[in-house]
Amino acid sequence: MKASFLLCTSLIAGGALAATPAPPERPQDYGWSMPVQVPAGAGIVQLSLPREVYLHASSASLADVRLFDGDGKRLAYAIVAQLVQSATQRTNIPARIFPVTGTPGIGLQGIDIRTGDDGRLLSVSTRAGTAATTAALQALILDLGKQTEGRRIAALRFTPPASTDNYSAQVLLEMSDDLKQWDAIGTTTLNWLSNSDTQTLANDSIAFAPRAFRYARLSWQAGEALAFSAITAQAVSETEVAPPRASVVLQGLPGKQDHEWRYATPIAIPADSIALQFTQSNVVLPVTLGVYRQNSYVPRHRLHLRQQARPAQDAYFDPLLSTTFYRIDLDGKERISGELAMPVTQTAQWVMQTSPEQALSAGNAPTLRLGWTPATVVLLASGKPPYRLAFGRSDAASVVQPLSQVAPGFKADELLALKTASTGPLQANGGAAPAPIIASDGAPWRLAALWAALLLGVAVLGFFAWRLLAQMKQEQTDQKQTGNGKQRD
């Protein structure tokens, strides 16, 4: 019964300890921090993770990254791959205009079109037999030139003759790539209205979804046909903007073998490119790059253990890529091997091995260059500034949120349009400890309750341990006295 009471007392003390909430985190609890500047009026912003985060974070998954507001409260954020942006260029292309004449009411029949070998439109003429007195402007065929890859036409703009004051007509625009098959793009009303002060109100363009084509045909559905003095096509082209890259250059140290060099690497770097940099010229060096991994093989059952000896639990070299790096001086110009792309690899140490015949001395060892694309943080800028980005704590658990909980309902183009936050200089938190720091000013009564529960538990356990030992000694004494009494009888 006393043992049960002792167990209950221990559980009560443990429950009091567990019920006491952990103190809130602070930027000082992390080894490093950077100020974050958020644009005014921006509720949700994007931030490309600085290079310093990858160099000083303690977790490969960036689990120790935190964002705090001016009061030290933790902010919600999501980490996503670098948002791919595109640049849009707009170019005006003057169209070559070819009038099409014919008998009104007959349509666009009896037209001869000549093109060059490169597709250039040379002429558009009415076939013989059409009376010149009855011929009238029926349509305009436009040659926009050969379009480059990725460039599309998004609009046409019309310039009327100089003598045109007031005009209104409904036109049909069609497109073609071979001058045989025509597809309608749409219709619009073109009009110009001028007053006595030579002010003009104009609807002089037709816009449509960007598409690639070379030839266009304009015909009239209502109003008078007009030979425009100029027609200009607006072409748009979008090119992806390469995301910003980060890199680090690592110095090597000799490995256990003469032909091996090891490069200590920040664990958070998601390297996807690698290169060697030489200090001397005219070097050609075949190498194998890889990592050391711990042998974690464990037999599943004893039968397997009898059949095959269990391998040693030592680390083994895992080669990831073999290639040749070089730096060659050729007629005063250097030819240098570039960065080699590879699958994303995270490790605390890269290893370079050469052939034993090409073992390097300390002065000739190359440096190792790693490159990666930083991730993007989508941040909910709640609370009050100034904001801080903190990182560098080995025991921190991830608090990253799904993007849907930070920017709910945001589409890809809306994320790209988010305002961008920036960071200030890196700062070392000298007083930071890897274990959580208990803040004395956070909640004094909680700390007092925690220590009181701990001391009470220790005292109760000590008291009952003493009582239990005393009781056991008393029982042993009674048993000895009973045994001695039986022997006398």
Side-chain angles (χ1 to χ4, degrees), residues 116-386:
D117 294 337
D118 59 353
R120 178 183 175 88
L121 188 57
L122 299 178
S123 65
V124 176
S125 59
T126 305
R127 292 176 185 172
T130 303
T133 56
T134 61
L137 181 63
Q138 300 294 304
L140 301 175
I141 293 182
L142 313 177
D143 184 359
L144 306 179
K146 186 177 180 179
Q147 302 303 309
T148 59
E149 184 177 357
R151 190 168 70 174
R152 297 171 297 171
I153 307 299
L156 291 179
R157 185 170 184 175
F158 304 87
T159 302
S163 59
T164 304
D165 293 330
N166 298 309
Y167 178 79
S168 180
Q170 187 178 44
V171 296
L172 168 66
L173 182 63
E174 301 170 280
M175 56 156 284
S176 176
D177 288 321
D178 56 7
L179 294 168
K180 297 178 181 178
Q181 183 68 34
W182 295 89
D183 296 323
I185 294 179
T187 60
T188 191
T189 299
L190 301 177
N191 54 61
W192 291 265
L193 179 62
S194 300
N195 58 18
S196 58
D197 297 329
T198 67
Q199 295 178 344
T200 303
L201 180 64
N203 178 26
D204 58 356
S205 62
I206 177 171
F208 41 85
R211 62 189 69 193
F213 60 92
R214 175 161 188 171
Y215 309 105
R217 185 169 68 184
L218 188 73
S219 57
W220 281 260
Q221 294 185 318
E224 179 186 357
L226 182 65
F228 297 101
S229 62
I231 300 177
T232 304
Q234 186 181 74
V236 295
S237 58
E238 293 186 2
T239 57
E240 289 188 357
V241 178
R245 298 275 295 170
S247 63
V248 64
V249 177
L250 307 173
Q251 301 291 333
L253 294 174
K256 295 182 179 180
Q257 306 178 53
D258 292 338
H259 62 286
E260 179 180 279
W261 287 81
R262 302 191 180 192
Y263 299 83
T265 309
I267 189 62
I269 291 179
D272 57 11
S273 69
I274 194 168
L276 291 182
Q277 298 181 168
F278 302 96
T279 57
Q280 67 275 21
S281 299
N282 296 325
V283 179
V284 177
L285 185 64
V287 299
T288 298
L289 293 166
V291 299
Y292 272 105
R293 302 189 189 279
Q294 195 67 26
N295 195 335
S296 58
Y297 171 79
V298 178
R300 294 186 178 182
H301 45 71
R302 294 187 177 182
L303 179 60
H304 193 122
L305 184 60
R306 294 193 191 103
Q307 295 175 351
Q308 182 176 349
R310 181 174 179 174
Q313 298 296 312
D314 296 333
Y316 67 94
F317 179 67
D318 182 11
L320 298 181
L321 53 97
S322 296
T323 187
T324 299
F325 292 99
Y326 55 87
R327 180 181 179 184
I328 302 173
D329 189 358
L330 185 63
D331 297 331
K333 296 182 180 180
E334 281 193 331
R335 181 172 295 181
I336 302 175
S337 55
E339 294 187 346
L340 183 65
M342 65 179 181
V344 174
T345 304
Q346 289 181 279
T347 180
Q349 183 185 73
W350 275 94
V351 179
M352 180 190 72
Q353 291 186 349
T354 65
S355 63
E357 295 78 13
Q358 291 183 298
L360 302 171
S361 61
N364 295 329
T367 56
L368 184 71
R369 179 184 176 92
L370 299 176
W372 70 96
T373 300
T376 296
V377 168
V378 179
L379 164 66
L380 180 62
S382 58
K384 66 178 183 179

Side-chain angles (χ1 to χ4, degrees), residues 34 49-58 62 65 268 389 391 426:
M34 303 176 74
L49 273 180
R51 174 177 178 269
E52 290 78 7
V53 173
Y54 291 93
L55 298 184
H56 297 286
S58 301
L62 301 175
V65 172
L389 175 66
F391 46 92
L426 178 68

